[in-house]
Amino acid sequence: MGSGSLPGCRQVRVKAHRPVVGRVKTLRLKREARRWYVIVVTEQQPVPQPATGREIGLDVGVARFAATSDGEVVANPRFLAAIVSELAAAQRGVTRCRPGSGNRRRARRRLAKLHRTLANQRRDFHHQTARKLIDTCDVIAVEDLAITNMTRSASGTVQAPGRNVAAKAGLNRSILDAGWGQFLAILLAKAEGAGRRVVKVNPRDTSIICCRCGARCARPRQDTVLCPVHGGMDADLNGACNILTRAGLGSGRAA
Ligand SMILES: [Zn+2]
C-alpha cells in the first residue's frame, strides 16, 4: 500500500501491483466495475543486459502456453483450469437469476470479480514469463500476431487442424487467445528496456511444414506433426523451430 494525492482529490491509498520504475510520464485513473485503478506510464532509459548467446523461436500453444525452439516448455499456469470451471459456474449463476433482481446483480458482481482475478493472475504470469525469456535470450522470434489473426482458422481441417482448436470449451479458447496478445506486448516492452531483439515473422504454414526439410506434414493429433521423411515430431517444438528459421536465425533450413 502507498498513498498519494491528485488534483481535486483527497489523499488516496493505492495498492501497488508492481513497483513504479523510471520517470513517470502520465497518470491515468480508470474505473472498472466498482474499483478504481491508477495506470502509471513511465519512461526508462534502456539498460542493455549482458549477452547470453541464446536465440530462440517461440511458439504459442493451446495445451501449453508456449514452447521454444531449443526445447523449453512454458506450461499453462495451473490457475487457468481452476478458474475456467469457476467462471462457467458463475456464468450459469447469472443466467439462472431473474433479470433485474438483486440476486442477478450479486451474481454478476461475483462473475466480474472472477474475471478480474483471472486478468490479474494472467498478467502476473505474463510478466514473469516474459522476464525469464528476456533475461535468458538475446533474440526472440515470434509469429506476427496481426497476420496470425487474419490467417489462422478457428476450426481447421482434419489434415491441418487450426491452432485454435481448444481441447475444452470456447471459454477456455477465448481466455487463451486474449492472453497471447497481452503477453507479446509485455515481451516487447521488456525487450526494449533490456536492449533485446524481438523479431516478428509471417506465421504462414509454420505449424504444418517440417522444420528440418520443409515438407508438408500430416497432423494426426493436435500435439504431433508427421513429416513424410522425418516422422513424428512435437508440433509446438516444430513450429518454434520454423519461426526461428524464418527469422533468419539458428542453423536450420532456410524457410
Ligand atoms: Zn522433414
Side-chain angles (χ1 to χ4, degrees), residues 209-217 226-231 233 238:
I209 60 172
C210 172
C211 67
R212 294 166 72 185
C213 69
R216 200 164 184 88
C217 299
L226 198 59
C227 170
V229 180
H230 294 101
M233 288 174 288
N238 182 63

Side-chain angles (χ1 to χ4, degrees), residues 20-28 38-43:
V20 175
V21 184
R23 196 174 66 85
V24 175
K25 272 173 69 188
T26 62
L27 279 180
R28 197 156 61 85
V38 185
I39 297 155
V40 185
V41 177
T42 64
E43 199 171 44

Side-chain angles (χ1 to χ4, degrees), residues 4-13 29 36:
S5 54
L6 288 159
C9 294
R10 281 181 306 164
Q11 192 89 358
V12 288
R13 283 192 306 152
L29 281 176
W36 286 91

Side-chain angles (χ1 to χ4, degrees), residues 5 41 53 62 88 118 136 143 166 170 196 213 216-217 227 234 237:
S5 54
V41 177
V62 169
L118 171 65
T136 58
E143 291 187 341
R196 303 297 206 204
C213 69
R216 200 164 184 88
C217 299
C227 170
D234 180 291
L237 183 61

Side-chain angles (χ1 to χ4, degrees), residues 65 74-77 79 121-130:
F65 179 71
V74 184
N76 269 321
F79 63 74
Q121 288 178 331
R122 187 172 52 195
R123 199 182 46 236
D124 287 345
F125 168 73
H126 287 164
H127 273 280
Q128 287 163 16
T129 305

Side-chain angles (χ1 to χ4, degrees), residues 67-95:
T68 70
S69 52
D70 54 9
E72 191 183 323
V73 168
V74 184
N76 269 321
R78 281 173 207 273
F79 63 74
L80 199 66
I83 212 150
V84 162
S85 46
E86 266 190 80
L87 275 171
Q91 183 64 58
R92 282 195 303 275
V94 171
T95 48

